[in-house]
Structure formats: C-alpha cells, structure tokens
C-alpha cells in the first residue's frame, strides 16, 4: 500500500479527487481545504494499492499536478481496513510483482549521484578490498563487497535504458566512471603508502593467492554470476525487498576487481591490471544487462496482466 499526499490549487481539487475516486485500488481519500501554505492550496490524501500505484501517479502527472502543486509518496507498512482489503481485491495482479516506476526512478536517481559520501564509501570499500587482495583474505573481500555502493548507479543505467531517461543515464554513468576512477586512484596511493611503511610488498601481489587470484582472471562464470546478481538486485529494488541487496553485493567482484587493478598498477604488474579491469567491466556489463532484461520482462508481464492503463471501478470512467 502507498500513501499519497497531494497539494492542489482549490479550483482543481475536485478534478483530482474525481480522478482518485474513479481509479481502481484507491481508498481512504481525505481533503483538507486550504491547509497548504507552500504552495498554497488544498491537501488531498489517499491510499492506493501498490499494483495500481504507477497508473494513478502517471495519471496525476499527466493532469499537470506536479507543475502547479506537488505529489509525495510514502510506503504504508501496515493498513488495517476492510476498505483497503477491498481495494486490494479490485486491483489487478499482486503488489509484490508491481513496479512503481516513479519510485524506482527516484531511488536510482538518488543513489546514482556522484557525492562525497558515495565516493568515500566506494574508496573505502576499494581500500578494504586492497588489503584483502594483498593478504589473500577472502573475508576482507566479502566485507569490501558489502560496503561498496556501486549497485545504485548500475541499477540507474538499467532503469534509464528501460525508461528512456537520458539524464538519469548520464548521471549514473558519470557516477560509475568518476567514482571508480577516484576510488582506484586513492587506492593506488594507499598501496604506495603502505608499501613505504613496510606493510605491503611486491611479493604479496605477485605471489600465489589461492583465495583471491580469481579476481584478475575473469571467465564466463564471472559473467554468469553477474547476470544472476543483477537480476536479483533489480527485483529487490522493484519489490522494495532491500535486504536482498546485501546478497547481491557480495556476489559480484566489482570492488575487488577495481582494488586489484589499482594495487597491481602501483607495482607495475600490468597483466593483473588489465585482467582485473576486464573482470570489473564484465561484472558491470552483466549486472546492467540482467537488470535491463529484468525490468523489460516485468514491464511486459505487468502490461499483459493489467490489460489497460487504469481499470475503473464499477460504473467509473478511466483516468485520462
């Protein structure tokens, strides 16, 4: 269930309320006349089941409400109401299978922004992975995978491809390219510093590493795992099951590959540098490909199940 809070000019409130009341899956409609101050207007509240959320939001946006008012969406964890249960029965499909595209775009947009915090997390994750590489410690590698924030912009690329959103695409690609470039540069400097104080040495990166040597030797299994992880991660975003993202993060070797490339470069071991870079690109490519195909499949299946943009209640008109 989603909770919508709308601000509308008084002369358009009735039209907005009619749109909500004639849309399937809505309930708990309330109007607070003159309650809004910025922008000035009425406040309209309603709940809509998740499987009907995208259609209602699309209709509201097409009516121009985001231009002369505002739309806020929150997730309702618990709703105890017979009317809400009836709204669930009226709506097509299941809420767990529905994709609220506006919500997904907003989440990926936020997580695909090149911020100081994003770069800090990515750099710290890459440095932790560098320690894991040099010590041949798989636990540190797993920890670094969990810390890395790179799935956000990767999901942003997939979302941008499906939604044809060039601004989100540019933002996501920039976050990936600049983020990894900065993280790898800082990690190379980190390696030189630890080498200077005697904690890292060339023999550590060039010696046998049974636990982490796979990082710079990409193969088809690496790509297969990236495909599976990309699909699982995308499903976790669209179904709001964010807990699955941890499992996705520790399934792919994006951050460890970046770390191995940076460390190997600092010791002029270019074979490992290029091998690790290929591993990084293969993993990112697999995640983006799987994420895009997953979103396209969800979109096609939902459109087929739903049958039409917005189903009206008995005797009600369809949304414009």
């Amino acid at each position: 269930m989603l909770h919508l809070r709308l601000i509308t000019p008084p002369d358009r409130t009735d039209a907005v309320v009619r749109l909500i009341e004639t849309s399937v899956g809505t309930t708990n409609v309330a109007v607070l006349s003159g309650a809004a101050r910025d922008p000035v207007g009425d406040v309209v509240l309603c709940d809509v089941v998740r499987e009907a959320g995208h259609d209602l939001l699309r209709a509201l946006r097409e009516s121009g409400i985001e231009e002369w008012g505002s739309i806020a969406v929150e997730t309702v964890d618990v709703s105890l109401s017979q009317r809400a249960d009836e709204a669930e029965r009226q709506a097509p499909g299941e809420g767990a299978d529905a994709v609220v595209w506006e919500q997904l775009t907003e989440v990926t947009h936020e997580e695909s922004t090149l911020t100081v915090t994003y770069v800090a997390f990515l750099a710290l994750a890459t440095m932790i992975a560098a320690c894991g590489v040099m010590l041949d410690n798989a636990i540190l590698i797993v920890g670094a995978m969990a810390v890395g924030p790179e799935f956000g912009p990767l999901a942003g690329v997939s979302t941008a491809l499906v939604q044809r959103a060039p601004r989100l695409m540019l933002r996501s690609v920039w976050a990936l390219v600049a983020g990894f470039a900065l993280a790898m540069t800082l990690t190379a400097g980190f390696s030189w510093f630890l080498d200077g104080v005697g904690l890292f040495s060339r023999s550590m990166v060039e010696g046998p590493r049974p636990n982490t040597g796979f990082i710079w030797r990409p193969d088809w299994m690496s790509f297969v795992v990236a495909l599976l992880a990309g699909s699982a991660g995308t499903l976790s975003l669209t179904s709001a099951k964010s807990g699955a993202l941890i499992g996705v993060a520790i399934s792919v070797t994006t951050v460890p590959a970046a770390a191995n490339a940076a460390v190997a470069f600092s010791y002029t071991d270019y074979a490992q540098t290029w091998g690790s870079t290929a591993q990084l690109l293969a993993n990112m490519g697999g995640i983006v490909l799987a994420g895009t195909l997953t979103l396209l499949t969800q979109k096609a299946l939902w459109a087929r199940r739903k049958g039409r943009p917005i189903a009206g209640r008995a005797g009600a008109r369809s949304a414009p």
Side-chain angles (χ1 to χ4, degrees), residues 10-287:
D11 60 335
R12 304 206 182 190
T13 299
D14 289 343
V16 169
V17 172
R18 283 196 301 270
L19 175 60
I20 294 172
E21 290 179 337
T22 56
S23 297
V24 72
T26 59
T27 187
N28 301 332
V29 182
V31 178
L32 306 177
S33 299
R37 293 293 179 266
D38 185 16
V40 175
D42 301 330
V43 175
V44 180
L45 308 174
C46 73
D47 293 337
V48 58
V49 296
R50 183 178 175 86
E51 51 268 42
H54 169 67
D55 290 328
L56 178 57
L57 287 171
R58 183 181 62 183
L60 289 169
R61 296 182 68 185
E62 288 176 351
S63 72
I65 189 173
E66 64 179 326
E67 299 176 6
W68 33 260
S70 72
I71 305 173
V73 183
E74 299 174 343
T75 300
V76 178
D77 294 325
V78 179
S79 179
L80 305 178
S81 166
Q82 290 186 357
R83 294 183 65 85
D85 294 340
E86 178 62 25
E88 287 276 5
R89 287 190 290 269
Q90 291 178 352
E94 297 293 334
D97 296 332
V99 180
V100 183
W101 293 98
E102 290 80 5
Q103 191 176 51
L104 177 62
T105 302
E106 184 65 26
V107 169
T108 52
H109 180 276
E110 181 179 347
E111 296 186 357
S112 301
T113 303
L114 186 68
T115 62
V116 173
T117 301
Y118 168 81
V119 173
F121 269 115
L122 189 57
L124 290 171
T126 309
M127 291 178 191
I128 293 172
C131 294
V133 165
M134 298 299 278
L135 298 174
D136 195 32
N137 189 316
I139 294 176
L140 291 177
I141 295 296
V142 172
M145 292 176 178
V147 173
E150 74 281 2
F151 188 80
L154 290 170
V157 172
S158 296
T159 303
L161 288 172
V162 174
Q163 292 292 88
R164 299 178 183 178
R167 294 182 65 181
L168 177 59
M169 171 67 75
L170 290 174
R171 180 184 293 266
S172 300
V173 171
W174 174 244
L176 286 170
V177 173
F180 270 108
L182 289 170
M184 293 170 72
T185 299
L186 291 171
T187 301
F190 174 72
S191 300
W192 285 323
F193 173 75
L194 291 190
D195 180 84
V197 298
L199 295 178
F200 279 5
S201 66
R202 178 179 291 272
S203 62
M204 296 172 73
V205 70
E206 294 183 345
R209 288 187 282 135
N211 293 321
T212 59
F214 71 93
I215 293 174
W216 64 279
R217 298 186 180 96
D219 54 24
W220 281 108
M221 280 307 301
S222 299
F223 187 72
V224 169
V225 171
L227 288 174
L228 297 174
S231 183
T234 302
L235 286 173
S236 72
L237 284 178
T238 58
S239 63
K241 297 185 181 296
S242 58
L245 285 176
I246 298 298
V248 172
I250 61 177
S251 299
V252 292
T253 53
T254 47
V255 165
N260 202 99
V263 171
F265 181 81
S266 69
Y267 285 104
T268 65
D269 188 335
Y270 300 124
Q272 285 201 43
T273 300
W274 288 115
S276 301
T277 302
Q279 179 80 275
L280 174 62
L281 294 176
N283 275 267
M284 291 198 297
I287 291 172

